[in-house]
Every structure is written in structure tokens, then in C-alpha cells.
Amino acid sequence: MGLSISSTNSALKRSNVKLQAQHVSAFNGDPIKWRSWKNRTRAAIGTAGMLEILDNPSYAKKNAVDNETVFHLLQVATTDGSAAHLVDGHKANKDGNAAYADLVTWYEGNNLTTETAEDVRSKLDKLLLNTKTSASEYTKYVPALDETA
């Protein structure tokens, strides 16, 4: 007899997670890099079919294996950065949903958003467009400013 549809789907999902795990890039904790890292990570986890783990706590509780997988993906991504403590706080229960929620709260909360905006403004104030500075270097901070405003 062949595999059932649900076991085939589970095997495909596990395979897909392994493929996508390499696409969850490292995050060093830099607030300016948060938005782009978050978007890339959500895309990778979404491609693996587990985006609802990030967004729905009750769904995450019902799908403990996927929730633990997301936890480990986040743990690997943050292990060498200043955001590791947020994920590692959920090491006992391996709750990917809660770890992700803590990351979002930390990096998108009012205090840090204000600090990030001030940091970007400070960098822009110091950067002058002249013959020594390329236009691409000058404008690379503008999208970060738009995201934090």
C-alpha cells in the first residue's frame, strides 16, 4: 500500500522546511535591519507552509511540532546577535509563536522605533552627498527612515 495523503503532506512539509531553513538568514539584532529580516523570515516560513504559526497563538498550540520547528529556526537565526535573549526566553517550551511575538514587540514597540528613527536621522545628518560619497550610499538609509517613521 502507498502512503496516505496526510503522511505524504507531512513528509513534503518537513522536506520543505529543511529547504527553507537555509533561507532564514542570521539576524544580528540591529534595529535598522529588523524590517528586512522580518520580511525575509516571514517569506521563508510562509513558503514552508507555517506562517500561521507566527501569527496565531492558538494555531501554534494545536500544531506543536511546527511551532517547535519555527522556534528552532528563530533560535538559529538570532543565536549570534543581540536578539538571542528574546528567543532563548522560550527555550523551555520551544514556543516559536511566543518567541516571534517577543521579537516583534521588542523591535516594533514605540521606544525602539523612536530610537531607530533617531539613529537613522543621526546617520543621515552626518552623511553628505558629495564627490566622496556615492548616491547609493547616501540613499541607503532613506528606506529605513520611511519604515520607522
Side-chain angles (χ1 to χ4, degrees), residues 45-107:
I45 290 173
T47 302
M50 297 189 299
L51 195 56
E52 195 160 359
I53 295 293
L54 297 178
D55 298 333
N56 187 336
S58 61
Y59 180 85
K61 284 184 181 184
K62 291 177 189 170
N63 296 278
V65 172
D66 288 350
N67 193 23
E68 184 175 337
T69 300
V70 167
F71 168 79
H72 289 297
L73 291 171
L74 295 174
Q75 188 178 40
V76 167
T78 61
T79 203
D80 290 329
S82 60
H85 72 284
L86 298 168
V87 176
D88 287 344
H90 300 280
K91 196 181 287 187
N93 56 5
K94 295 176 178 57
D95 188 345
N97 172 271
Y100 179 74
D102 281 357
L103 286 167
V104 171
T105 299
W106 183 269
Y107 286 98

Side-chain angles (χ1 to χ4, degrees), residues 32 117-129 137-146:
I32 293 175
E118 289 172 3
D119 184 44
V120 170
R121 284 187 191 101
S122 173
K123 287 179 181 179
L124 281 173
D125 287 343
K126 293 176 187 173
L127 190 61
L128 299 173
L129 183 58
E137 171 135 6
Y138 185 78
T139 60
K140 75 180 179 181
Y141 295 107
V142 175
L145 184 59
D146 289 341

Side-chain angles (χ1 to χ4, degrees), residues 33 40 132:
K33 307 273 187 203
R40 283 191 312 274
K132 295 179 184 178

